[in-house]
Amino acid sequence: MKLQQLRYLVEVAKQGLNVSEAAEKLHTSQPGISKQIRLLEDELGVQIFIRNGKRVVDVTAPGREILRISERMLMQAQNLKRIGEEFVNVEGGSLTIATTHTQARYALPRTIKAFLSRYPKVRLSIKQGSPTQISEMVVDGEADIAIATEGIDHYPELAMLDCYDWNRDIVVPQDHPLTGLTRPLALADVAAYPLITYDFAFTGRNKINNAFEAAGLAPNVVLTAIDTDVIKTYVSLGLGVGIIAAMAFEPDRDHGLVAIDAGHLFEPSTTRIGVRRDAYLRGYAFDFISLFAPQLSRDIVQGALMCEIDDGE
């Protein structure tokens, strides 16, 4: 049995049982992958994949268990390499952060600046996506740390750590009628205008929807985006009222716009960090986490990683 065979096996499953796409992803040949998987099946004495001719169409019952163990073995092999790097290459290495646009643009810059000042030889990479996408990046080993507001709690493979709570602002042009209110802003005031806000998969959108639904209001969302800067651009064009994360409004840069505090209208959201429970983190990864969320000490993070996944066994 070879680790390469396990990599082929896991990649075929990851690519939706498409051997050609797995071969392309791994920069090898389709016949080579098929041959190695059959050799592994012969060695184990069980069929892992169900085939229809040359096509892989499903995974057998023992195959699902073999895939689960294979993923763990590959992760542990990666952990062994990281332990070696920890002591051989003390100052260098790499760290990949998977996060949303809002976190990357508004919450992370100070952390990244401080981290790179402390670890100038570490190769830091930021990958952006939806909460679901970035969680899967960490589960699949493509990133070390996920930072998002939603989605992480749907993945039991990830240890989840709360970082901070935040809420929202209503953003309008300077001459908008909402800026002249002499009483606290109400949801009905906001719902009276076309709305521009985040795509449903991003940045606490559920909290927004729930608030309007609880108030018996049906807001007219005319435009959604994954990028807060895009939302602010279209608000400035007068296309609607924006609902954004409060951290994303910058008075020095967002000229012509006014932010109205909407913290009393919506439930707060919580930004969380997600890390694979079976991952080995280099020392500088713990430092990155504590720079982003000072309350998350190394001991707290390690304690979360040591908690076993409740898989019903």
Side-chain angles (χ1 to χ4, degrees):
M1 184 184 304
K2 303 175 183 177
L3 284 177
Q4 189 73 322
Q5 291 173 321
L6 303 185
R7 290 192 184 95
Y8 290 165
L9 184 68
V10 170
E11 192 61 39
V12 169
K14 189 186 300 184
Q15 298 303 323
L17 305 181
N18 189 312
V19 180
S20 297
E21 291 185 8
E24 183 177 347
K25 188 79 172 180
L26 294 172
H27 307 290
T28 188
S29 68
Q30 179 179 343
I33 287 182
S34 298
K35 177 182 178 181
Q36 289 302 318
I37 290 177
R38 288 190 180 276
L39 287 173
L40 180 60
E41 289 177 321
D42 291 341
E43 181 178 350
L44 296 177
V46 296
Q47 187 176 356
I48 299 171
F49 292 130
I50 298 172
R51 299 171 176 84
N52 183 0
K54 294 184 178 180
R55 291 178 58 248
V56 175
V57 295
D58 205 350
V59 183
T60 64
R64 285 191 289 272
E65 186 66 16
I66 290 168
L67 275 167
R68 185 177 67 84
I69 295 173
S70 297
E71 290 174 351
R72 289 184 179 179
M73 290 178 68
L74 291 172
M75 175 57 70
Q76 294 305 324
Q78 183 63 35
N79 287 342
L80 289 175
K81 291 182 179 180
R82 289 177 175 175
I83 292 171
E85 292 173 352
E86 182 88 48
F87 294 95
V88 174
N89 186 12
V90 178
E91 297 181 353
S94 63
L95 182 65
T96 301
I97 309 298
T99 190
T100 60
H101 167 82
T102 299
Q103 298 295 329
R105 170 67 176 81
Y106 299 102
L108 279 169
R110 289 185 180 179
T111 298
I112 290 172
K113 182 178 181 180
F115 178 82
L116 291 179
S117 176
R118 186 177 299 182
Y119 297 99
K121 295 184 180 180
V122 173
R123 300 185 306 278
L124 186 62
S125 174
I126 298 177
K127 295 184 176 182
Q128 292 179 218
S130 70
T132 297
Q133 289 170 334
I134 66 178
S135 296
E136 290 177 351
M137 288 178 196
V138 177
V139 170
D140 294 340
E142 298 173 6
D144 302 297
I145 297 170
I147 301 176
T149 295
E150 295 181 341
I152 294 176
D153 55 342
H154 298 313
Y155 293 84
E157 303 95 331
L158 302 181
M160 186 174 66
L161 301 134
D162 290 356
C163 297
Y164 64 90
D165 294 337
W166 57 269
N167 218 309
R168 295 151 188 83
D169 281 347
I170 303 300
V171 180
V172 295
Q174 286 181 338
D175 57 353
H176 195 278
L178 289 181
T179 62
L181 288 178
T182 57
R183 55 173 173 76
L185 183 70
L187 273 177
D189 299 323
V190 180
Y193 297 93
L195 300 184
I196 304 173
T197 191
Y198 299 107
D199 184 86
F200 189 83
F202 284 76
T203 316
R205 174 67 187 275
N206 281 334
K207 304 283 188 180
I208 297 173
N209 293 351
N210 292 343
F212 283 110
E213 183 177 348
L217 298 170
N220 176 26
V221 179
V222 295
L223 178 66
T224 62
I226 64 175
D227 186 325
T228 309
D229 292 330
V230 170
I231 294 173
K232 290 186 288 187
T233 295
Y234 286 101
V235 170
S236 68
L237 293 175
L239 298 184
V241 168
I243 305 177
I244 65 171
M247 73 181 91
F249 185 77
E250 300 174 303
D252 294 339
R253 295 186 178 185
D254 296 327
H255 302 296
L257 295 178
V258 175
I260 305 171
D261 179 27
H264 60 293
L265 301 181
F266 306 102
E267 289 186 18
S269 293
T270 302
T271 292
R272 298 181 172 94
I273 280 177
V275 183
R276 268 193 69 142
R277 295 181 187 275
D278 55 357
Y280 178 84
L281 295 182
R282 295 280 303 268
Y284 54 69
F286 288 104
D287 283 350
F288 182 94
I289 292 172
S290 64
L291 284 169
F292 183 69
Q295 77 275 16
L296 297 180
S297 66
R298 181 169 185 150
D299 288 344
I300 290 175
V301 176
Q302 285 181 322
L305 294 177
M306 291 173 63
C307 292
E308 294 184 0
I309 301 174
D310 181 8
D311 55 7
E313 297 180 356

